[in-house]
């Protein structure tokens, strides 16, 4: 053995599987189109930052995440120069970047993370009321990041390290109100052109697995228009939306562990087959164990309480 070689760290398969599972706040899962509406051209990056923070939380139970831009790029599949360049919104000079203590949040990455911290994400849904003719708009606001720290050497300001503290409500939902997805699959289903749209659709389907398991079925019949909205498919003709949706679903079925067959069928009152039936392989329906969930929740609560008692100033 070469004495100069670096030690090899072996990670057991069960640990790898556990690290691959990402918990996502169920509020965000229910309202994926709201991310797109609020962040527009930055929606894919904003969602990927949220996924990155949720993934990091599994190994940092106190809600503090420390990383460099290279750490983020390595895990999430980005190129650092694309994130470190000035955001296009500031190129004309008419709009100035947010500046605090002389620090400009001007790059693509820093401007997006600043927006995640400075603005709570509005998540909306329409609910029925006890009066059949009335509906109710319900809007909740989720804080993803509560604190940001940017560290850098004065001689090399371009090499920066970040420390985020997650919003308390977001952290609490990662413990008790969440859906789970595979980070490996989330990244694997992405294509260069439509990565954000396909990732959104994957999150929805992965989150619905628990519903299937709870109802003891392997058949999902999602609404056609809902799936198109989640995937950002806006073609004017239904047949074009159907073709694009089918392509996205096929990409997910072939490039993830969500193994399912796709069927379009005609319901009563329809002239064309726009209803969807997804038949999942029962062998790939794996619920996260209740005992494991309870242990994780109790461990988090006890450690947080011990930390708060010892360091009340944080």
């Amino acid at each position: 053995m070469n004495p100069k070689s670096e030690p090899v760290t072996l990670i057991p398969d069960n640990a790898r599987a556990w690290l691959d599972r990402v918990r996502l706040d169920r509020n965000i899962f229910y309202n994926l189109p709201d991310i797109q509406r609020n962040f527009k051209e930055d929606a894919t990056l904003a969602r990927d930052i949220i996924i990155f923070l949720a993934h990091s939380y599994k190994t940092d139970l106190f809600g503090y995440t420390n990383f460099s831009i290279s750490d983020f790029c390595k895990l999430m599949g980005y190129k650092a120069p694309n994130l470190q360049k000035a955001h296009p919104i500031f190129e004309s000079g008419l709009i100035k970047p947010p500046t605090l203590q002389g620090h400009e949040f001007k790059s693509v990455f820093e401007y997006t993370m600043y927006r995640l911290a400075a603005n709570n994400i509005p998540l909306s849904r329409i609910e029925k009321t006890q009066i059949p003719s009335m509906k109710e708009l319900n809007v909740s606001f989720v804080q993803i990041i509560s604190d940001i720290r940017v560290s850098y050497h004065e001689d090399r300001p371009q090499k920066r390290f970040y420390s985020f503290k997650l919003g308390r409500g977001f952290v609490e939902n990662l413990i008790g109100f969440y859906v789970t997805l595979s980070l490996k699959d989330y990244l694997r289903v992405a294509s260069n052109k439509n990565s954000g749209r396909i990732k959104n659709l994957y999150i929805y389907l992965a989150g619905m697995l628990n519903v299937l398991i709870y109802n003891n079925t392997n058949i999902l019949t999602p609404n056609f228009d809902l799936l198109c909205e989640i995937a950002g498919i806006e073609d004017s003709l239904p047949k074009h939306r159907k073709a694009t949706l089918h392509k996205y679903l096929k990409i997910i079925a072939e490039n993830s562990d969500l193994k399912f067959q796709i069927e379009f069928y005609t319901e009563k009152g329809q002239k064309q087959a726009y209803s969807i039936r997804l038949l999942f392989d029962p062998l790939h329906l794996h619920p996260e164990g209740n005992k494991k969930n309870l242990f994780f929740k109790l461990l988090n609560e006890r450690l947080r309480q011990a930390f708060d008692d010892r360091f009340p100033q944080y």
Side-chain angles (χ1 to χ4, degrees), residues 151-196:
S151 304
Y152 54 90
H153 195 282
E154 291 182 351
D155 296 332
R156 299 181 64 189
Q158 70 277 10
K159 188 174 183 180
R160 299 175 178 178
F161 298 90
Y162 301 97
S163 178
F164 290 175
K165 182 178 180 181
L166 304 182
R168 187 129 194 174
F170 182 67
V171 168
E172 290 174 353
N173 285 342
L174 293 181
I175 301 171
F177 191 67
Y178 61 89
V179 297
T180 59
L181 56 96
S182 162
L183 179 63
K184 176 187 65 177
D185 286 349
Y186 175 78
L187 298 173
R188 195 164 54 180
V189 300
S191 66
N192 291 332
K193 185 177 179 181
N194 299 301
S195 61

Side-chain angles (χ1 to χ4, degrees), residues 98-114:
T99 304
L100 298 173
Q101 299 294 325
H103 182 90
E104 291 184 330
F105 292 85
K106 189 176 182 178
S107 70
V108 171
F109 181 79
E110 290 196 357
Y111 179 58
T112 304
M113 78 169 186
Y114 177 87

Side-chain angles (χ1 to χ4, degrees), residues 6 18 48 71 88 92 127 132 136 138 150 161 184 190-191 195-196 200 205 209 226 236 241 275 277 285:
E6 295 183 359
W18 183 79
D48 284 351
D71 294 330
S92 67
E127 297 180 339
E136 181 177 82
N138 190 316
V150 184
F161 298 90
K184 176 187 65 177
S191 66
S195 61
N200 257 5
L205 295 178
L209 287 187
L226 173 63
S236 57
R241 295 201 300 275
S275 294
R277 183 186 295 117
L285 296 179

Side-chain angles (χ1 to χ4, degrees), residues 67-114:
F67 63 97
S68 67
I69 194 71
S70 60
D71 294 330
F72 177 82
C73 291
K74 182 178 180 181
L75 184 65
M76 303 305 293
Y78 283 82
K79 294 181 179 178
N82 294 337
L83 298 183
Q84 293 173 314
K85 66 183 180 181
H87 194 286
I89 198 174
F90 306 125
E91 288 180 352
S92 67
L94 297 176
I95 300 177
K96 302 297 182 182
T99 304
L100 298 173
Q101 299 294 325
H103 182 90
E104 291 184 330
F105 292 85
K106 189 176 182 178
S107 70
V108 171
F109 181 79
E110 290 196 357
Y111 179 58
T112 304
M113 78 169 186
Y114 177 87

Side-chain angles (χ1 to χ4, degrees), residues 33-290:
D34 281 329
I35 303 292
Q36 184 66 46
R37 280 190 287 267
N38 284 279
F39 286 87
K40 296 181 172 59
E41 69 276 5
D42 297 323
T44 297
L45 177 57
R47 188 188 54 251
D48 284 351
I49 291 175
I50 293 172
I51 296 292
F52 175 83
L53 296 176
H55 177 266
S56 301
Y57 176 71
K58 295 197 76 169
T59 54
D60 187 352
L61 297 181
F62 300 106
Y64 294 90
T65 300
N66 302 282
F67 63 97
S68 67
I69 194 71
S70 60
D71 294 330
F72 177 82
C73 291
K74 182 178 180 181
L75 184 65
M76 303 305 293
Y78 283 82
K79 294 181 179 178
N82 294 337
L83 298 183
Q84 293 173 314
K85 66 183 180 181
H87 194 286
I89 198 174
F90 306 125
E91 288 180 352
S92 67
L94 297 176
I95 300 177
K96 302 297 182 182
T99 304
L100 298 173
Q101 299 294 325
H103 182 90
E104 291 184 330
F105 292 85
K106 189 176 182 178
S107 70
V108 171
F109 181 79
E110 290 196 357
Y111 179 58
T112 304
M113 78 169 186
Y114 177 87
R115 292 176 65 193
L116 280 169
N119 305 303
N120 291 352
I121 300 178
L123 305 174
S124 60
R125 63 182 182 273
I126 299 292
E127 297 180 339
K128 296 180 179 180
T129 67
Q130 294 181 347
I131 303 174
S133 61
M134 293 187 66
K135 293 183 178 179
E136 181 177 82
L137 171 65
N138 190 316
V139 183
S140 58
F141 297 86
V142 176
Q143 182 185 37
I144 305 298
I145 302 170
S146 62
D147 294 284
I148 295 176
R149 294 181 184 179
V150 184
S151 304
Y152 54 90
H153 195 282
E154 291 182 351
D155 296 332
R156 299 181 64 189
Q158 70 277 10
K159 188 174 183 180
R160 299 175 178 178
F161 298 90
Y162 301 97
S163 178
F164 290 175
K165 182 178 180 181
L166 304 182
R168 187 129 194 174
F170 182 67
V171 168
E172 290 174 353
N173 285 342
L174 293 181
I175 301 171
F177 191 67
Y178 61 89
V179 297
T180 59
L181 56 96
S182 162
L183 179 63
K184 176 187 65 177
D185 286 349
Y186 175 78
L187 298 173
R188 195 164 54 180
V189 300
S191 66
N192 291 332
K193 185 177 179 181
N194 299 301
S195 61
R197 300 179 179 191
I198 299 173
K199 284 178 178 178
N200 257 5
L201 197 56
Y202 167 77
I203 290 174
Y204 175 79
L205 295 178
M208 290 302 295
L209 287 187
N210 284 339
V211 177
L212 296 181
I213 293 167
Y214 179 81
N215 291 324
N216 195 28
T217 181
N218 68 318
I219 301 174
L220 182 66
T221 54
N223 179 270
F224 174 78
D225 290 330
L226 173 63
L227 291 189
C228 289
E229 182 183 16
I230 289 172
I233 302 172
E234 299 176 342
D235 299 85
S236 57
L237 295 178
K239 65 178 182 180
H240 292 163
R241 295 201 300 275
K242 175 181 176 181
T244 302
L245 178 60
H246 185 269
K247 180 176 71 173
Y248 290 175
L249 290 171
K250 189 176 179 181
I251 289 173
I252 294 173
E254 293 177 351
N255 295 279
S256 76
D257 288 337
L258 298 183
K259 301 303 180 186
F260 56 85
Q261 298 176 15
I262 308 163
E263 294 182 0
F264 283 89
Y265 65 97
T266 304
E267 277 192 334
K268 185 177 180 181
Q270 291 181 336
K271 294 182 179 181
Q272 302 293 333
Y274 289 115
S275 294
I276 306 172
R277 183 186 295 117
L278 303 179
L279 291 83
F280 285 81
D281 184 344
L283 297 177
H284 288 80
L285 296 179
H286 301 300
E288 194 173 1
N290 289 332

